[in-house]
Amino acid sequence: MAGPAAGVVATDEARHVKQNLPVLTLGAIGVVYGDIGTSPIYAFRQAMSVRPGVAATETEVLGLLSLIVWALTLTVAVKYVFFVTRADNNGEGGTLSLMALARKTFTKAPAWITALGVIGAAMFYGDAMITPAISVLSAVEGVELVAPELTRWVVPITLVIIVGLFFVQRFGTAKVAIVFGPITAIWFLVLGISGLVHIFENPLVLWALNPWHAVEFLLTHAGIAFIVMGAVFLAVTGAEALYVDLGHFGRKPIVFAWFGLVFPCLLLNYFGQGAFVLEAGPENVSSPFFEMQPKWALGPFVALATMATIIASQAVISGTYSLTQQAIALNLLPRMLVLHTSETQSGQIYLPQINTMLMIMVLILVVGFGSSSELSNAYGIAVSGIMLVTLSLLLVVMWRNWKWHPAAIAAFAAIYLVIDGGFFVVNSAKLFQGGWVPAVVAIFVSLIMVTWMVGRARLAEKTRKDEVPLQFLVDNLSKKKPTTVPGTAIFLTSDVEGAPTALLHSLKHYKVLHESNVILTVRTSASPRVADEEKVHYEAFNELFSRVIVTFGYMEEPNIPKALALARKLGWKFDIMSTSFFLSRRSLKPGQKGGFLRRWQDRVFAALAKNASDATGYFHIPTGRVVEIGTQVVL
């Protein structure tokens, strides 16, 4: 029965994708490619700015264009579109999804796989800070060409736009997202047309399709090759969004959008910028992207560019919310308040804490760096680091999941370790020119995640030592039955085998049991979603005690009342109005064991646990049915 049913589901999903392919493709253009679509504003400009003088201009322009063309082709079109998007975890993508997929095939996953996931997620936060800052700032800088007297207002205008962007997050992005696709599609068409006009005037630039020009440039400009490749890398920033947003649109719309519109328009615009530089002379051009536009169209073009950068920023901000939700579900971060902004789309969420912290950091970056040229030095490390982590986890998936031949894996690794590793090295060279910002953020977030995981493990170990085995308690209470009161009591615990602390303290202080006592454990699956028929496991010990294990996917909202309703199908009858939920509220005290590092970690973990969101709200338990029992634990 399972085989045909699965086939029917797959057929229905395929039919749904086919019917909605145009809509999904348009949505992918707006959300997935918004970030990479703003790269032409500054990528070629930065690459041109590091040329030594104006000698051999034609050779240099063709070399730079060839580097950009083949960076886009090999990194985005081949690696991400053909390979990375195939590594979906039940349809979901992103660093943490890839980590979960890689861990699935191990009985006990190696720690280094989790470490890679942590590093990749931490680097994404650095990327999420810089993307809104550099994107919006680079677009607003176009005002300098329209009205030079407004140059001193570029930073203030950028700050106002960014504050407004983060302020509207609380209202949800569902309505705004409707116009994302059409505006970004118009943006790409304008990019392509504006580039094509200049290509007609100087078709010589099309010779840049020959990869030899890229190789020749690197050989003849070895002294600045590192700096140039760091600038060229800006052309592929945003490629990581291909994989992050895989679950929202599916692979086919993402592929169609890339080859049908995005890739051709990006190439046309870069070629057009190169043609314009050759026409005007590099010494006369400071911002080819804006200067190659007709004067009459410059104002509307700057406005359109600003809208495109806002959309690009919105996609990264929404991605940060989703990443944080996944990290919380996978126990990499403490619980945070997650607000749902749509009644129909579960993925439309808003995290106030993340929104506030992200906005503050973006504003600081805009004021601190002051221009997109300066910010570009800080941009590459985070994105190139994410790409290197993605490649490492992808190789594990090729080996363990896809069962590729070792020779094929080795060949793929050899090619892309050179490309991705090279990009990471050249961007690391800008560490002291601004690259330290995302590096510091990534290190800080990684330390928080590691501290949280280590602290949870220590707390679980200590709690396990203090608790008694659940089976032992059940057997003893069956022999010597205490006084019972009507109703059902549900005790939450993370340890399936141990008796919940709340149950032990309830017996100690109240000396009574409810007629029905349920030991409830919530687990997170390595899959993004768990089918309803597999979500709940019910086991009755005797008439007094039973155990329920609820498993949520890491992309799902952990709603306990809804999950428990599924348990009725398994034979457990209960009335929510006569049910009490017992939770342990631990007050953590740092211990004196170990050295300085251990005591420091204990203090940070205690602070994180204290500020974590309330379990009642996180699991959607009715507040009027909750009894919290406080305990003090010395770490």
Side-chain angles (χ1 to χ4, degrees):
M1 294 295 291
V8 171
V9 172
T11 303
D12 290 342
E13 289 179 353
R15 189 180 299 114
H16 173 75
V17 170
K18 184 176 181 180
Q19 291 173 347
N20 294 277
L21 186 59
V23 176
L24 291 171
T25 302
L26 187 61
I29 291 171
V31 176
V32 176
Y33 296 110
D35 191 0
I36 199 171
T38 60
S39 296
I41 299 176
Y42 46 80
F44 187 68
R45 179 195 69 192
Q46 289 303 110
M48 288 295 299
S49 69
V50 297
R51 293 181 318 108
V54 296
T57 299
E58 181 181 300
T59 302
E60 291 181 345
V61 169
L62 290 178
L64 290 173
L65 286 176
S66 188
L67 285 169
I68 289 175
V69 167
W70 287 101
L72 283 169
T73 301
L74 294 176
T75 301
V76 186
V78 177
K79 177 189 168 187
Y80 273 90
V81 173
F82 280 120
F83 292 103
V84 176
T85 55
R86 295 179 187 274
D88 65 296
N89 190 351
N90 289 345
E92 295 294 338
T95 302
L96 294 180
S97 285
L98 190 58
M99 178 196 75
L101 183 63
R103 288 166 56 174
K104 274 184 181 180
T105 56
F106 293 92
T107 304
K108 185 178 181 181
W112 59 267
I113 291 182
T114 302
L116 283 173
V118 168
I119 293 171
M123 286 183 171
F124 187 86
Y125 284 99
D127 178 25
M129 284 177 6
I130 298 176
T131 295
I134 191 173
S135 297
V136 178
L137 189 54
S138 63
V140 177
E141 283 172 347
V143 171
E144 297 174 352
L145 299 175
V146 179
E149 67 275 9
L150 295 178
T151 298
R152 62 192 181 93
W153 290 98
V154 167
V155 170
I157 291 172
T158 301
L159 296 177
V160 171
I161 292 174
I162 288 172
V163 170
L165 175 64
F166 280 97
F167 179 77
V168 300
Q169 297 301 313
R170 68 187 66 190
F171 303 112
T173 58
K175 293 182 180 178
V176 181
I178 295 175
V179 298
F180 277 12
I183 289 178
T184 311
I186 293 172
W187 168 251
F188 279 114
L189 289 173
V190 171
L191 289 183
I193 293 171
S194 64
L196 191 60
V197 169
H198 291 280
I199 293 173
F200 281 133
E201 296 176 2
N202 197 335
L204 174 71
V205 292
L206 295 177
W207 283 107
L209 290 169
N210 184 349
W212 171 246
H213 289 290
V215 176
E216 184 181 27
F217 182 93
L218 294 177
L219 292 175
T220 56
H221 294 75
I224 61 168
F226 258 49
I227 304 174
V228 170
M229 289 307 296
V232 168
F233 180 74
L234 295 174
V236 300
T237 54
E240 68 279 7
L242 273 169
Y243 190 44
V244 172
D245 292 307
L246 184 63
H248 295 286
F249 301 98
R251 184 174 183 272
K252 187 175 289 186
I254 289 175
V255 173
F256 274 40
W258 173 254
F259 287 108
L261 180 68
V262 178
F263 192 31
C265 289
L266 287 175
L267 293 183
L268 288 174
N269 191 265
Y270 283 119
F271 283 137
Q273 289 188 52
F276 176 75
V277 169
L278 289 178
E279 295 167 26
E283 69 280 0
N284 300 318
V285 179
S286 59
S287 181
F289 181 78
F290 287 112
E291 291 177 26
M292 73 177 187
Q293 309 304 325
K295 289 186 178 180
W296 61 266
L298 195 53
F301 191 78
V302 171
L304 180 61
T306 304
M307 285 191 288
T309 56
I310 291 173
I311 291 172
S313 303
Q314 176 63 63
V316 174
I317 294 169
S318 301
T320 308
Y321 298 154
S322 298
L323 179 74
T324 304
Q325 185 185 37
Q326 291 181 32
I328 293 170
L330 293 169
N331 295 320
L332 300 178
L333 287 174
R335 291 188 303 269
M336 298 182 197
L337 179 63
V338 179
L339 302 177
H340 289 261
T341 58
S342 172
E343 295 180 359
T344 57
Q345 298 294 325
S346 60
Q348 295 282 344
I349 57 176
Y350 168 65
L351 281 77
Q353 293 166 290
I354 295 297
N355 190 70
T356 301
M357 289 188 288
L358 198 56
M359 180 185 71
I360 292 172
M361 293 305 299
V362 172
L363 294 177
I364 290 174
L365 287 177
V366 171
V367 174
F369 285 87
S371 72
S372 60
S373 297
E374 294 296 322
L375 264 171
S376 65
N377 292 324
Y379 200 16
I381 288 183
V383 181
S384 59
I386 293 170
M387 290 183 175
L388 199 56
V389 168
T390 300
L391 173 63
S392 302
L393 291 172
L394 179 64
L395 294 175
V396 177
V397 171
M398 288 175 170
W399 166 43
R400 303 281 299 189
N401 297 63
W402 296 351
K403 308 298 182 184
W404 273 29
H405 192 280
I409 297 175
F412 188 89
I415 295 171
Y416 282 99
L417 281 174
V418 171
I419 296 174
D420 292 350
F423 277 136
F424 183 73
V425 170
V426 300
N427 281 293
S428 297
K430 298 186 290 185
L431 184 66
F432 298 106
Q433 298 174 315
W436 60 270
V437 174
V440 168
V441 171
I443 291 171
F444 177 76
V445 175
S446 296
L447 287 174
I448 293 295
M449 289 183 172
V450 170
T451 299
W452 182 252
M453 289 188 291
V454 171
R456 276 179 53 87
R458 287 175 181 164
L459 179 60
E461 182 182 356
K462 186 170 183 61
T463 304
R464 195 175 296 113
K465 290 179 180 178
D466 296 337
E467 290 179 347
V468 298
L470 177 60
Q471 191 64 55
F472 175 80
L473 180 66
V474 169
D475 292 340
N476 276 273
L477 291 177
S478 299
K479 296 174 184 176
K480 190 178 180 181
K481 189 176 180 180
T483 303
T484 59
V485 295
T488 299
I490 298 178
F491 297 91
L492 269 71
T493 179
S494 58
D495 185 5
V496 179
E497 302 299 331
T501 304
L503 172 58
L504 296 175
H505 281 265
S506 178
L507 282 170
K508 178 180 177 181
H509 294 289
Y510 303 139
K511 315 294 184 188
V512 297
L513 276 178
H514 283 70
E515 290 176 335
S516 176
N517 300 276
V518 180
I519 312 302
L520 175 63
T521 300
V522 178
R523 289 176 167 174
T524 302
S525 171
S527 299
R529 291 175 181 82
V530 177
D532 285 351
E533 57 269 20
E534 300 175 3
K535 196 179 294 290
V536 179
H537 171 77
Y538 175 76
E539 176 186 2
F541 292 107
N542 52 41
E543 61 179 11
L544 273 179
F545 285 95
S546 57
R547 176 163 57 196
V548 174
I549 300 174
V550 179
T551 305
F552 293 105
Y554 62 81
M555 290 291 290
E556 292 184 291
E557 179 183 11
N559 191 313
I560 285 180
K562 285 185 178 180
L564 294 182
L566 299 173
R568 290 194 176 107
K569 299 177 181 178
L570 303 176
W572 178 35
K573 306 299 181 183
F574 77 103
D575 177 14
I576 190 70
M577 297 312 296
S578 63
T579 300
S580 298
F581 292 83
F582 287 80
L583 282 69
S584 296
R585 178 174 285 275
R586 297 185 179 95
S587 175
L588 304 180
K589 298 291 183 183
Q592 299 302 317
K593 296 181 180 179
F596 170 78
L597 181 60
R598 167 69 184 266
R599 292 195 296 271
W600 174 83
Q601 278 191 319
D602 287 346
R603 285 184 172 84
V604 173
F605 176 69
L608 291 172
K610 183 178 180 180
N611 290 284
S613 295
D614 186 63
T616 302
Y618 182 74
F619 290 115
H620 297 272
I621 303 172
T623 54
R625 311 305 309 171
V626 174
V627 177
E628 290 189 345
I629 299 178
T631 59
Q632 190 175 89
V633 179
V634 179
L635 296 171

PDB file of all heavy atoms in Angstrom, residues 150-165:
ATOM      1  N   LEU A 150      22.813  66.268  -3.262  1.00  0.00           N
ATOM      2  CA  LEU A 150      22.235  65.370  -2.250  1.00  0.00           C
ATOM      3  C   LEU A 150      23.233  64.326  -1.754  1.00  0.00           C
ATOM      4  O   LEU A 150      22.850  63.439  -0.983  1.00  0.00           O
ATOM      5  CB  LEU A 150      21.006  64.655  -2.831  1.00  0.00           C
ATOM      6  CG  LEU A 150      19.799  65.534  -3.184  1.00  0.00           C
ATOM      7  CD1 LEU A 150      18.686  64.681  -3.786  1.00  0.00           C
ATOM      8  CD2 LEU A 150      19.283  66.271  -1.951  1.00  0.00           C
ATOM      9  N   THR A 151      24.483  64.424  -2.168  1.00  0.00           N
ATOM     10  CA  THR A 151      25.485  63.422  -1.793  1.00  0.00           C
ATOM     11  C   THR A 151      25.566  63.228  -0.284  1.00  0.00           C
ATOM     12  O   THR A 151      25.642  62.097   0.217  1.00  0.00           O
ATOM     13  CB  THR A 151      26.870  63.829  -2.335  1.00  0.00           C
ATOM     14  OG1 THR A 151      26.812  63.873  -3.762  1.00  0.00           O
ATOM     15  CG2 THR A 151      27.933  62.824  -1.906  1.00  0.00           C
ATOM     16  N   ARG A 152      25.533  64.323   0.473  1.00  0.00           N
ATOM     17  CA  ARG A 152      25.660  64.206   1.929  1.00  0.00           C
ATOM     18  C   ARG A 152      24.433  63.572   2.576  1.00  0.00           C
ATOM     19  O   ARG A 152      24.455  63.240   3.765  1.00  0.00           O
ATOM     20  CB  ARG A 152      25.929  65.575   2.544  1.00  0.00           C
ATOM     21  CG  ARG A 152      24.821  66.597   2.339  1.00  0.00           C
ATOM     22  CD  ARG A 152      25.282  67.995   2.718  1.00  0.00           C
ATOM     23  NE  ARG A 152      24.242  68.996   2.555  1.00  0.00           N
ATOM     24  CZ  ARG A 152      23.422  69.378   3.532  1.00  0.00           C
ATOM     25  NH1 ARG A 152      23.534  68.842   4.731  1.00  0.00           N
ATOM     26  NH2 ARG A 152      22.499  70.301   3.309  1.00  0.00           N
ATOM     27  N   TRP A 153      23.350  63.427   1.784  1.00  0.00           N
ATOM     28  CA  TRP A 153      22.126  62.826   2.328  1.00  0.00           C
ATOM     29  C   TRP A 153      22.014  61.341   2.013  1.00  0.00           C
ATOM     30  O   TRP A 153      21.018  60.707   2.362  1.00  0.00           O
ATOM     31  CB  TRP A 153      20.898  63.561   1.775  1.00  0.00           C
ATOM     32  CG  TRP A 153      20.755  64.952   2.308  1.00  0.00           C
ATOM     33  CD1 TRP A 153      21.133  66.098   1.702  1.00  0.00           C
ATOM     34  CD2 TRP A 153      20.219  65.315   3.578  1.00  0.00           C
ATOM     35  NE1 TRP A 153      20.866  67.183   2.505  1.00  0.00           N
ATOM     36  CE2 TRP A 153      20.294  66.721   3.674  1.00  0.00           C
ATOM     37  CE3 TRP A 153      19.675  64.591   4.652  1.00  0.00           C
ATOM     38  CZ2 TRP A 153      19.852  67.421   4.782  1.00  0.00           C
ATOM     39  CZ3 TRP A 153      19.239  65.283   5.759  1.00  0.00           C
ATOM     40  CH2 TRP A 153      19.330  66.678   5.829  1.00  0.00           C
ATOM     41  N   VAL A 154      23.008  60.767   1.331  1.00  0.00           N
ATOM     42  CA  VAL A 154      22.945  59.357   0.935  1.00  0.00           C
ATOM     43  C   VAL A 154      22.820  58.450   2.158  1.00  0.00           C
ATOM     44  O   VAL A 154      21.941  57.567   2.214  1.00  0.00           O
ATOM     45  CB  VAL A 154      24.191  58.962   0.103  1.00  0.00           C
ATOM     46  CG1 VAL A 154      24.279  57.447  -0.033  1.00  0.00           C
ATOM     47  CG2 VAL A 154      24.120  59.592  -1.277  1.00  0.00           C
ATOM     48  N   VAL A 155      23.687  58.637   3.136  1.00  0.00           N
ATOM     49  CA  VAL A 155      23.643  57.793   4.338  1.00  0.00           C
ATOM     50  C   VAL A 155      22.356  57.993   5.126  1.00  0.00           C
ATOM     51  O   VAL A 155      21.699  57.015   5.512  1.00  0.00           O
ATOM     52  CB  VAL A 155      24.887  58.036   5.214  1.00  0.00           C
ATOM     53  CG1 VAL A 155      24.731  57.341   6.572  1.00  0.00           C
ATOM     54  CG2 VAL A 155      26.139  57.514   4.514  1.00  0.00           C
ATOM     55  N   PRO A 156      21.915  59.256   5.407  1.00  0.00           N
ATOM     56  CA  PRO A 156      20.638  59.433   6.124  1.00  0.00           C
ATOM     57  C   PRO A 156      19.447  58.801   5.397  1.00  0.00           C
ATOM     58  O   PRO A 156      18.582  58.196   6.041  1.00  0.00           O
ATOM     59  CB  PRO A 156      20.494  60.956   6.203  1.00  0.00           C
ATOM     60  CG  PRO A 156      21.893  61.469   6.175  1.00  0.00           C
ATOM     61  CD  PRO A 156      22.615  60.542   5.241  1.00  0.00           C
ATOM     62  N   ILE A 157      19.395  58.954   4.056  1.00  0.00           N
ATOM     63  CA  ILE A 157      18.287  58.352   3.299  1.00  0.00           C
ATOM     64  C   ILE A 157      18.321  56.833   3.434  1.00  0.00           C
ATOM     65  O   ILE A 157      17.285  56.178   3.625  1.00  0.00           O
ATOM     66  CB  ILE A 157      18.368  58.760   1.807  1.00  0.00           C
ATOM     67  CG1 ILE A 157      18.065  60.242   1.641  1.00  0.00           C
ATOM     68  CG2 ILE A 157      17.382  57.932   0.971  1.00  0.00           C
ATOM     69  CD1 ILE A 157      18.316  60.775   0.235  1.00  0.00           C
ATOM     70  N   THR A 158      19.528  56.266   3.356  1.00  0.00           N
ATOM     71  CA  THR A 158      19.687  54.816   3.508  1.00  0.00           C
ATOM     72  C   THR A 158      19.203  54.352   4.875  1.00  0.00           C
ATOM     73  O   THR A 158      18.508  53.332   4.996  1.00  0.00           O
ATOM     74  CB  THR A 158      21.161  54.418   3.308  1.00  0.00           C
ATOM     75  OG1 THR A 158      21.590  54.829   2.015  1.00  0.00           O
ATOM     76  CG2 THR A 158      21.342  52.914   3.440  1.00  0.00           C
ATOM     77  N   LEU A 159      19.554  55.106   5.915  1.00  0.00           N
ATOM     78  CA  LEU A 159      19.144  54.744   7.276  1.00  0.00           C
ATOM     79  C   LEU A 159      17.623  54.756   7.419  1.00  0.00           C
ATOM     80  O   LEU A 159      17.043  53.860   8.042  1.00  0.00           O
ATOM     81  CB  LEU A 159      19.773  55.703   8.294  1.00  0.00           C
ATOM     82  CG  LEU A 159      21.306  55.678   8.406  1.00  0.00           C
ATOM     83  CD1 LEU A 159      21.776  56.733   9.391  1.00  0.00           C
ATOM     84  CD2 LEU A 159      21.785  54.300   8.832  1.00  0.00           C
ATOM     85  N   VAL A 160      16.982  55.766   6.828  1.00  0.00           N
ATOM     86  CA  VAL A 160      15.513  55.863   6.902  1.00  0.00           C
ATOM     87  C   VAL A 160      14.866  54.671   6.207  1.00  0.00           C
ATOM     88  O   VAL A 160      13.912  54.060   6.725  1.00  0.00           O
ATOM     89  CB  VAL A 160      15.026  57.183   6.273  1.00  0.00           C
ATOM     90  CG1 VAL A 160      13.498  57.179   6.140  1.00  0.00           C
ATOM     91  CG2 VAL A 160      15.470  58.369   7.117  1.00  0.00           C
ATOM     92  N   ILE A 161      15.369  54.313   5.025  1.00  0.00           N
ATOM     93  CA  ILE A 161      14.814  53.172   4.275  1.00  0.00           C
ATOM     94  C   ILE A 161      14.973  51.883   5.076  1.00  0.00           C
ATOM     95  O   ILE A 161      14.044  51.067   5.164  1.00  0.00           O
ATOM     96  CB  ILE A 161      15.501  53.039   2.904  1.00  0.00           C
ATOM     97  CG1 ILE A 161      15.118  54.221   2.003  1.00  0.00           C
ATOM     98  CG2 ILE A 161      15.115  51.720   2.227  1.00  0.00           C
ATOM     99  CD1 ILE A 161      15.860  54.249   0.683  1.00  0.00           C
ATOM    100  N   ILE A 162      16.148  51.688   5.673  1.00  0.00           N
ATOM    101  CA  ILE A 162      16.409  50.456   6.425  1.00  0.00           C
ATOM    102  C   ILE A 162      15.531  50.363   7.658  1.00  0.00           C
ATOM    103  O   ILE A 162      14.966  49.304   7.961  1.00  0.00           O
ATOM    104  CB  ILE A 162      17.907  50.374   6.799  1.00  0.00           C
ATOM    105  CG1 ILE A 162      18.729  50.082   5.545  1.00  0.00           C
ATOM    106  CG2 ILE A 162      18.149  49.291   7.853  1.00  0.00           C
ATOM    107  CD1 ILE A 162      20.221  50.168   5.750  1.00  0.00           C
ATOM    108  N   VAL A 163      15.379  51.474   8.386  1.00  0.00           N
ATOM    109  CA  VAL A 163      14.498  51.474   9.565  1.00  0.00           C
ATOM    110  C   VAL A 163      13.074  51.135   9.144  1.00  0.00           C
ATOM    111  O   VAL A 163      12.388  50.330   9.788  1.00  0.00           O
ATOM    112  CB  VAL A 163      14.536  52.839  10.283  1.00  0.00           C
ATOM    113  CG1 VAL A 163      13.443  52.927  11.343  1.00  0.00           C
ATOM    114  CG2 VAL A 163      15.896  53.050  10.943  1.00  0.00           C
ATOM    115  N   GLY A 164      12.619  51.734   8.036  1.00  0.00           N
ATOM    116  CA  GLY A 164      11.269  51.432   7.543  1.00  0.00           C
ATOM    117  C   GLY A 164      11.121  49.976   7.145  1.00  0.00           C
ATOM    118  O   GLY A 164      10.092  49.339   7.426  1.00  0.00           O
ATOM    119  N   LEU A 165      12.161  49.422   6.505  1.00  0.00           N
ATOM    120  CA  LEU A 165      12.135  48.025   6.074  1.00  0.00           C
ATOM    121  C   LEU A 165      11.980  47.083   7.268  1.00  0.00           C
ATOM    122  O   LEU A 165      11.161  46.153   7.239  1.00  0.00           O
ATOM    123  CB  LEU A 165      13.417  47.699   5.304  1.00  0.00           C
ATOM    124  CG  LEU A 165      13.617  46.248   4.865  1.00  0.00           C
ATOM    125  CD1 LEU A 165      12.544  45.840   3.873  1.00  0.00           C
ATOM    126  CD2 LEU A 165      15.008  46.066   4.248  1.00  0.00           C
TER     127      LEU A 165
END
